[in-house]
Amino acid sequence: MARKSKLNLLELYSEENKDQIYDNVFAEIESFELPLGTSLRSVYDDQPNAHQRFMEKLDACIRNHDREIEKMCNFHHQGFVDAITELLKVRADAEKLKVQVTDTNRRLQDAGKEVIAQTEEIIRCRIQQRNITTVVEKLQLCLPVLEMYSKLKEQMNVKRYYSALKTMEQLENMYLPRVSQYRFCQIMIENLPKLREEIKEISMSDLKDFLESIRKHSDKIGETAMKQAQQQKTFNTALQKQNNVNYGRNMYAINGRVPEPKYEITSKRTLEEEDEHEEEVLTAHDLVDFSPVYRCLHIYSVLGDGETFENYYRKQRRKQARLVLQPQSSMHETVEGYRRYFSQIVGFFVVEDHILHVTQGLVTRAYTDELWNMALSKIIAVLRTHSSYCTDPDLVLELKNLIVVFADTLQGYGFPVNRLFDLLFEIRDQYNETLLKKWAGLFRDIFEADNYSPIPVANEEEYKIVISKFPFQDPELDKQSFPKKLPMSQSVPQIYIQVKEFIYASLKFSESLHRSSTEIDDMLRKSTNLLLTRTLSSCLQNLIKKPHIGLTELVQIIINTTHLEQACKYLEDFITNITNISQETVHTARLYGLSTFKDARHAAEGEIYTKLNQKIDEFIQLADYDWTMSESAGRASGYLMDLINFLRSTFQVFTHLPGKVAQTACMSACQHLSTSLMQMLLDSELKQISMGAVQQFNLDVIQCELFASSEPVPGFHGDTLQLAFIDLRQLLDLFMVWDWSTYLADYGQHTSKYLRVNPSTALTLLEKMKDTSKKNNIFAQFRKNDRDKQKLIETVVKQLRSLVNGMSQHT
């Protein structure tokens, strides 16, 4: 029972719960809240007959709502009926009103027809007026466009392209956008790019013409610029001189003296001439019209294509630079070739410098520096090559002056030129070489024209003329009366003058090189040393070796070199006066003329010894001895007397030589004569010698000894010169006296009477005499004295051979 009650309660609870669910679903449906799927699914959950029960609940709900609607309609029905009744009453009044309104409208329409017609006329006029106003407004917008376009065409016709571009810009930015809807504007817009291209082509054509023009006028521009630089340099130099003069005059004025130097007038005249030149100063802008460049640059800048123009301009100018830097093959032949080459280069860079300063960005300093460095390397290479072909020092000097002006000109425009001045030092060496070659020819001509005899002076005037050319001082000679002779020949003052001329010529190259006086002094001394030690020394050596130069000439050459050597100190003073650099300065070089002339003098001395010996050999070749004569002629040979007479006359010429030279020459001649005579006796082709031939030979040697004892050259002590013949004398004495026992007994002792006789020499001569004795004395074996002499000779020969063999074994 209790369980049943519990089940009934559960069922009751379940029924109430379901009713609550249905009420919620109905509330959602009435509130139109979607979606309803969740609520509808809850109706059918776990209930097999849920649909039926839901429909029953739904029908009950609908009936409830119908009852509520019916109640509401019943409540408002009376009001509705009253409203209909009132509406029916108004209907008649509405009909009347409609009739009245229709009549009133008819009458109004009839009255407004005229007004309508007038109004339509007014409207038409207003429309026309508005159209006219619109046309005027549009024309006012179009007229400026047309005017600007007409202006553009006019500017194109008169070639005002930059202004035309500005007009185009105004048309595009200001005028055409306002009337872009019109067809003519579209045509204009389409034509503007074509006009721009036309302007670009025309301006580029003008630029090409300009580039061609400056290529043709570069040499004129460069020539003008170099001339102005030279004039400016001259002007500055003259101004500096004038300042120095004024300073000097002020200093003298303090002491109460005001000198009037000669070059002050020259300076004033130079300044006046420079003022006249300044009035005629021309610039690159005066010679060339640069407007095409400006126009083209502005045009391309306006068109936004400035970089293309810059690249094209620089590319073309680089090509022109390469053409300008290419020299003519014959440039080195004349100075005009170099001048034209430099003028073209200067003209090119003057134009670039002008473009750099008057335009913005077309040419930059970095670009010009790069171009200049490229050009400078090429210029230096070209000048090195072509200057090496120059053999004329005057042309090299003119080239140097051109390079200096060229460098000064470009330096004035801001281009670095230090490498050009370094090149000048290389060319200076070449200039010195050409000078040395030229002066070598001058020296040769002087030596060829010289008569190699002392300079005769007839009076004081001639003497002064000579000493004005050459620093000669001799107190002893000054005491002599005129006419008199100077010890040196005519070539000495001429050589001295030419050395000074060489120094002047070398100095010319050192001018304007922006070097200090010390450096210039060093240059002059080095070049002068080269002239003395190489050129003059070589000329002297060649002169000394010439076959036609005899002993008299050689003696005079020695005297000449002595005086030239003494003049070297005057050359040093000469250089010092030019450069104002004291010789006591630490870095001052010395002239090497002393060694040059000493070497030449030694060579001349050696040549004197050689020629003396050659002359002695010539006389000896005339010797004609009868080596088999039975007895001597009783007098010396004729060839030998001629030789001695020649030596006497020759040594008399040596009186002007230094004593040592004359003594050495005399001793050398005697020694060579003695040696030649000894070789004549010992000649291997000479097979036999008689005692008569020995006696004749002894007479000749006696004459030689007499010549030596006569002191042909002063300064010998005692019998020094006679010692040259001591070997011959002892040998001949040995054979003449036939003192073999003494020779053999005293051999090897320092006190020996025949100390200078060599056993081999005695053996050779004795064998020649032994063969003669055998051939000439056929019956010698029948005479006891002859047999004894022959035996003695054989005995002496054996002993001499033993001495010779002993000497060979000992050695």
Side-chain angles (χ1 to χ4, degrees), residues 478-679:
D478 291 340
K479 296 176 182 179
Q480 298 179 13
S481 59
F482 292 100
K484 53 188 174 182
K485 292 184 178 180
L486 302 182
M488 65 278 190
S489 67
Q490 192 63 45
S491 63
V492 173
Q494 293 177 354
I495 292 293
Y496 183 79
I497 291 173
Q498 288 303 323
V499 172
K500 291 174 68 174
E501 290 297 325
F502 176 87
I503 295 172
Y504 277 126
S506 182
L507 177 64
K508 288 180 181 178
F509 195 93
S510 302
E511 294 174 347
S512 304
L513 290 185
H514 308 298
R515 297 294 172 176
S516 64
S517 299
T518 303
E519 291 176 305
I520 293 176
D521 181 87
D522 186 61
M523 294 178 197
L524 291 180
R525 292 179 184 274
K526 286 182 178 179
S527 58
T528 307
N529 277 330
L530 282 176
L531 177 72
L532 297 176
T533 59
R534 196 171 76 183
T535 305
L536 182 56
S537 175
S538 176
C539 291
L540 285 171
Q541 296 291 341
N542 293 333
L543 174 67
I544 292 169
K545 298 295 182 181
K546 286 186 176 181
H548 70 275
I549 298 296
L551 292 172
T552 304
E553 288 82 0
L554 289 172
V555 170
Q556 188 61 54
I557 289 173
I558 292 175
I559 296 171
N560 290 349
T561 54
T562 302
H563 288 284
L564 286 173
E565 179 182 345
Q566 295 171 355
C568 282
K569 62 179 181 178
Y570 297 101
L571 290 176
E572 294 214 7
D573 295 338
F574 177 70
I575 296 176
T576 300
N577 293 332
I578 292 176
T579 60
N580 293 324
I581 299 298
S582 174
Q583 298 181 26
E584 284 72 24
T585 305
V586 176
H587 301 288
T588 301
R590 293 288 183 265
L591 294 183
Y592 302 142
L594 298 178
S595 60
T596 298
F597 297 122
K598 284 181 180 178
D599 293 341
R601 190 159 55 251
H602 291 160
E605 292 170 3
E607 195 67 19
I608 286 176
Y609 307 150
T610 302
K611 286 186 179 295
L612 266 178
N613 294 340
Q614 291 176 352
K615 201 68 178 177
I616 291 171
D617 292 338
E618 292 176 4
F619 278 101
I620 289 179
Q621 287 177 0
L622 299 176
D624 187 18
Y625 285 103
D626 181 8
W627 298 107
T628 60
M629 65 173 60
S630 59
E631 59 183 12
S632 67
R635 63 181 182 276
S637 302
Y639 85 93
L640 188 68
M641 296 307 297
D642 293 338
L643 172 58
I644 291 175
N645 292 331
F646 164 76
L647 291 177
R648 289 186 187 279
S649 62
T650 299
F651 290 140
Q652 287 178 357
V653 179
F654 286 7
T655 54
H656 296 293
L657 287 176
K660 185 177 180 181
V661 177
Q663 293 171 13
T664 305
C666 187
M667 176 60 75
S668 173
C670 291
Q671 289 176 345
H672 184 72
L673 177 58
S674 174
T675 304
S676 299
L677 292 174
M678 180 68 77
Q679 290 175 351

Side-chain angles (χ1 to χ4, degrees), residues 742-753:
T742 304
Y743 174 75
L744 294 173
D746 296 341
Y747 177 76
Q749 298 179 11
H750 293 291
T751 58
S752 173
K753 181 179 178 182

Side-chain angles (χ1 to χ4, degrees), residues 198-231:
E198 181 182 352
I199 292 174
K200 286 179 67 174
E201 291 176 1
I202 294 173
S203 61
M204 185 57 71
S205 177
D206 292 343
L207 177 65
K208 291 178 180 178
D209 294 340
F210 165 78
L211 292 175
E212 181 66 20
S213 174
I214 61 173
R215 189 180 69 83
K216 294 179 179 178
H217 291 85
S218 287
D219 54 347
K220 181 64 176 177
I221 296 172
E223 181 182 353
T224 303
M226 291 175 69
K227 186 180 297 183
Q228 291 171 2
Q230 183 66 27
Q231 291 172 356

Side-chain angles (χ1 to χ4, degrees), residues 749-777:
Q749 298 179 11
H750 293 291
T751 58
S752 173
K753 181 179 178 182
Y754 306 101
L755 180 64
R756 308 285 296 183
V757 178
N758 190 290
S760 61
T761 303
L763 177 62
T764 302
L765 184 58
L766 188 58
E767 287 181 340
K768 295 177 185 291
M769 295 185 68
K770 182 180 71 171
D771 293 339
T772 304
S773 299
K774 288 181 179 179
K775 292 180 181 179
N776 292 338
N777 299 312

